[in-house]
Amino acid sequence: MAATSEPFRIGLLGHGTVGAAFETLVAERAGAVAATVGQRPEISGVLTRSRGDFDEILEGSDLIVELIGGIEPAREYVLRAMRAGRHVVSANKQLLSQYGEELWAVARENEVQLRFEGAVAGVVPVIRVLQESLAAAHVERIHGIVNGTTNYILSEMARAGISYEQALLQAQELGYAEADPTDDVTGRDAAAKMAILARLAFSTPVHLDQVVYEGIEHITADDMAYADELGLGLKLIGTAERVDGGISVRVHPAFLYGEHPLATVNGPFNAVTVESDAITEITMSGPGAGGPQTASAVLGDVISAMIPPASTPETTQALPVVGDVVSAFYLHMEVADRPGVLAQIAEILGMQGASIKSFVQRGLGDNARLVMVLHPLLESRLYAAVRMIGQLDFMRAAPRAIRVIDEEFS
Ligand SMILES: NC(=O)c1ccc[n+]([C@@H]2O[C@H](COP(=O)([O-])OP(=O)(O)OC[C@H]3O[C@@H](n4cnc5c(N)ncnc54)[C@H](OP(=O)(O)O)[C@@H]3O)[C@@H](O)[C@H]2O)c1
């Protein structure tokens, strides 16, 4: 590639955890980038709440990197940059999962690139793989561990037998969880990332509001211990899949058998499994967040933007979002230990078409528990059974149901 003495000017919006790491990385890697693409990147202006002027930064840049986060003013700046003919790189999952269609349309109209690898799974190159390497594959399903905070908490609960509250505190002390961990532990952060992945995998608009999500706050150390006996480990799993001519995108805690490619992903790591007839299954994993890691994904996007062209997602026909899907379940019941208990539970499960795959019974008297894994059934039927079982007079607490990903991997 022909070298030019003109620098490639990057206007940097946001100078926090990722923005500051990005500035450092650009300074460190500028020479190597210049050797590869023929132009030396440099930060031509920085905007924070107390520093810089957006119009001046825009004027003096070839590309804008948005690392402010949230919706406004990030959305306005990204739109204005693209309308002014600038490529944009962002790591903002909230913005893309809620305003992606608008932003991609403006990118197409203005023939600029909008790149966002850092928005999902940190440095794991899943966006690029879906947009480029697997562009011709008919993706059937994606499973992802796309939130490192919750994966760390669940891994520690399983490893050390500690409670959710203890594991969360530990995650905060180590910097894996924010002081306000709500977005992470409720599944909302993962839901935003799954909306973006589903959009790319199925070429259909997917808004964050269409993603059903459930968090990990109600998971007990007890559930983890019982599941361990049944050969299961718990993860917060994002799923995006084709179902009955539509799609389903959801995030919820789910048990996995040991052979599943995501079962061994522990600590603050992320991993995404893509399934398609053509490729069978591929799994990508790596650090899910962190300033330097995300900055590396952002710089990768900047370099890609320096070498044109890359495709921007096309608008396509919307696929219906399917609400009720089939899943296997783990069911945990605290019962009074007396004759006929199992028969009554089995009868209700049978009425709803549920059949038992494996089963553990523990304790006596007031301490009796029945823990089972059910073969896949429609979620609505499982929850109908759970409501009915919950009303039986020998139940000492509401039954707990957690999904199980029951796929064969060899
Ligand atoms: N942290 C991670 O590990 C990680 C991983 C993946 C993706 N991301 C994404 O990367 C983005 C940045 O995250 P971060 O952790 O670096 O955030 P952060 O540490 O909170 O930094 C945000 C930066 O944006 C600036 N800012 C906030 N509001 C602004 C406004 N109205 N006008 C101008 N500047 C404003 C802040 O300025 P002040 O300095 O003046 O407050 C700060 O410099 C987010 O979209 C996040 O979701 C982060």
Side-chain angles (χ1 to χ4, degrees):
M1 186 160 300
T4 161
S5 56
E6 290 295 310
F8 185 82
R9 299 163 306 162
I10 302 167
L12 176 58
L13 313 183
H15 199 259
T17 307
V18 184
F22 177 71
E23 185 174 32
T24 305
L25 189 64
V26 170
E28 283 170 9
R29 305 295 301 158
V33 176
T36 311
V37 299
Q39 215 177 351
R40 187 181 181 85
E42 70 172 34
I43 305 291
S44 53
V46 176
L47 184 76
T48 69
R49 275 178 283 222
S50 57
R51 173 181 171 195
D53 173 80
F54 176 74
D55 289 300
E56 278 175 23
I57 291 170
L58 182 61
E59 186 57 36
S61 68
D62 298 308
L63 174 149
I64 290 289
V65 167
E66 183 277 306
L67 294 170
I68 294 176
I71 305 299
E72 295 296 354
R75 173 174 162 268
E76 185 205 327
Y77 291 153
V78 169
L79 286 170
R80 281 176 57 193
M82 293 192 297
R83 288 187 174 125
R86 304 296 189 279
H87 300 310
V88 171
V89 175
S90 170
N92 191 333
K93 60 225 152 201
Q94 293 300 342
L95 183 61
L96 288 157
S97 63
Q98 295 178 62
Y99 293 91
E101 295 313 313
E102 176 192 30
L103 298 174
W104 288 312
V106 172
R108 279 192 301 273
E109 279 163 24
N110 292 278
E111 297 179 357
V112 295
Q113 295 181 42
L114 172 59
R115 305 194 72 110
F116 45 96
E117 189 68 74
V120 182
V123 77
V124 185
V126 55
I127 300 291
R128 193 175 304 254
V129 166
L130 282 175
Q131 275 190 301
E132 296 172 19
S133 320
L134 298 182
H138 183 77
V139 175
E140 284 296 336
R141 183 187 293 120
I142 295 176
H143 280 314
I145 295 175
V146 290
N147 182 274
T149 305
T150 46
N151 203 52
Y152 174 81
I153 293 172
L154 294 174
S155 302
E156 280 304 290
M157 287 175 71
R159 189 190 63 79
I162 55 178
S163 69
Y164 163 74
E165 288 77 13
Q166 287 169 311
L168 171 60
L169 197 62
Q170 206 169 294
Q172 286 168 325
E173 282 166 5
L174 290 169
Y176 294 144
E178 308 263 332
D180 177 3
T182 312
D183 258 20
D184 291 324
V185 299
T186 58
R188 187 174 166 82
D189 173 87
K193 294 165 178 170
M194 291 310 298
I196 297 170
L197 293 185
R199 168 66 179 85
L200 298 181
F202 306 134
S203 299
T204 187
V206 180
H207 190 280
L208 173 60
D209 290 349
Q210 294 171 297
V211 184
V212 183
Y213 61 92
E214 184 186 313
I216 62 163
E217 311 98 302
H218 61 282
I219 301 295
T220 66
D222 209 23
D223 287 319
M224 309 284 268
Y226 278 98
D228 191 44
E229 279 192 50
L230 294 162
L232 294 165
L234 191 71
K235 304 287 178 194
L236 183 69
I237 298 287
T239 301
E241 63 184 347
R242 296 184 192 273
V243 185
D244 300 336
I247 57 164
S248 167
V249 191
R250 53 195 196 274
V251 172
H252 46 63
F255 284 113
L256 301 173
Y257 286 97
E259 319 79 70
H260 194 284
L262 300 183
T264 50
V265 178
N266 289 315
F269 275 71
N270 279 195
V272 175
T273 295
V274 183
E275 294 170 49
S276 149
D277 279 349
I279 57 162
T280 318
E281 171 266 315
I282 60 167
T283 301
M284 295 159 271
S285 68
Q293 292 84 351
T294 310
S296 163
V298 172
L299 182 55
D301 273 350
V302 170
I303 295 167
S304 297
M306 291 169 78
I307 324 166
S311 63
T312 299
E314 292 294 328
T315 306
T316 51
Q317 205 184 353
L319 294 172
V321 174
V322 178
D324 198 10
V325 294
V326 169
S327 181
F329 275 90
Y330 155 103
L331 199 55
H332 184 136
M333 292 161 289
E334 298 178 32
V335 299
D337 188 13
R338 58 181 201 231
V341 164
L342 185 57
Q344 284 189 59
I345 290 173
E347 188 184 342
I348 291 176
L349 291 173
M351 275 163 49
Q352 295 299 338
S355 63
I356 299 170
K357 175 174 178 173
S358 52
F359 174 67
V360 177
Q361 182 168 12
R362 286 283 179 278
L364 291 170
D366 283 346
N367 232 347
R369 277 138 206 264
L370 301 178
V371 178
M372 52 184 70
V373 174
L374 303 177
H375 284 293
L377 76 162
L378 265 182
E379 294 190 356
S380 56
R381 301 199 73 177
L382 180 277
Y383 286 117
V386 165
R387 277 192 299 277
M388 290 165 79
I389 293 169
Q391 285 162 10
L392 296 172
D393 63 353
F394 53 73
M395 295 297 296
R396 293 184 293 108
R400 293 205 295 277
I402 299 175
R403 292 167 187 82
V404 174
I405 295 183
D406 191 21
E407 287 176 58
E408 297 291 327
F409 284 93
S410 53

